Amino acid sequence: MPTELLIVLKAAEAAANWHSGQRRKGVAGEPYVNHLIEVASLVAEATNGEDPHLTAAALLHDAVEDQNIPLSQIASMFGEDVAALVGEVTDDKSLPRHERKRLQVEHAPHKSPRAKLLKLADKTSNVRALSLSPPDWTLERRREYVRWACEVVAGLGQASPYLQEQFEAAVRQAERDLEGAD
Ligand code: ZN
């Protein structure tokens, strides 16, 4: 088996195990791994399947933040390149939520091009979820989330025209849903 395919499958397997008890925040409570696979698919599409390390990193991008998997473990299992990408998109959980969100906006322009692409795919999946399976949030909080996601994405610049389109379509859908909601 090509090593590229193996690394992506092994990352999917690790992600499914590590996040096995985690659900998405939406009403449907989908398994969290659905989000990870969606982000990995978006990244793979945006790179024509030519960046397996980035695709593996997409599968693992929430493992440190949500499951406290040490980056060193990701490095020993998947190599330094994958671990560095995961590290680039991992927030410092010791900071308050508001501060973490502010820093995402501030840091977005300074990420590597591949980390930018991964962040754009992540935000696309999260904004899509506001329409497909809305969390139990007030409308104002949902609007605020969309505004914040747009700010982060603006800082990512031209990471990927394809993903940019996907993101904008998700924002338009979320705005339509939120307009009709009150
Ligand atoms: Zn995510």
Side-chain angles (χ1 to χ4, degrees), residues 32 35-36 39 61-62 122 126:
Y32 200 79
H35 164 66
L36 303 172
V39 174
H61 78 271
D62 285 324
D122 188 30
N126 288 338

Side-chain angles (χ1 to χ4, degrees), residues 5-173:
L5 182 54
L6 196 59
I7 198 169
V8 173
L9 274 174
K10 287 287 172 195
E13 186 183 20
N17 285 326
W18 290 338
H19 295 269
S20 61
Q22 193 182 352
R23 304 240 148 212
R24 298 201 78 182
K25 292 190 191 95
V27 281
E30 307 94 331
Y32 200 79
V33 73
N34 290 23
H35 164 66
L36 303 172
I37 292 173
E38 181 184 12
V39 174
S41 293
L42 286 168
V43 161
E45 282 176 293
T47 56
N48 295 312
E50 283 166 7
D51 196 341
H53 283 181
L54 184 58
T55 306
L59 287 161
L60 305 170
H61 78 271
D62 285 324
V64 178
E65 231 175 87
D66 292 346
Q67 299 301 328
N68 298 314
I69 305 297
L71 262 189
S72 57
Q73 187 179 343
I74 293 178
S76 67
M77 290 172 74
F78 300 100
E80 295 295 341
D81 185 37
V82 172
L85 287 163
V86 173
E88 266 201 274
V89 299
T90 297
D91 287 350
D92 180 352
K93 274 246 167 156
S94 67
L95 298 171
R97 194 171 67 94
H98 187 79
E99 180 66 0
R100 292 204 308 266
K101 296 189 86 164
R102 192 186 67 75
L103 287 173
Q104 280 205 33
V105 175
E106 197 177 299
H107 292 164
H110 311 294
K111 299 287 175 193
S112 69
R114 291 157 85 214
K116 284 179 175 175
L117 207 143
L118 175 43
K119 283 198 80 74
L120 182 51
D122 188 30
K123 293 290 177 278
T124 301
S125 168
N126 288 338
V127 173
R128 278 181 181 172
L130 287 182
S131 296
L132 296 171
S133 174
D136 182 22
W137 290 353
T138 62
L139 294 176
E140 187 44 40
R141 183 162 174 203
R142 287 184 223 171
R143 289 195 182 100
E144 173 53 35
Y145 185 89
V146 174
R147 273 196 294 271
W148 169 74
C150 288
E151 266 187 79
V152 175
V153 166
L156 298 174
Q158 288 304 309
S160 155
Y162 169 75
L163 287 182
Q164 193 73 39
E165 260 175 50
Q166 301 299 311
F167 177 77
E168 281 162 17
V171 168
R172 281 194 300 274
Q173 184 62 52

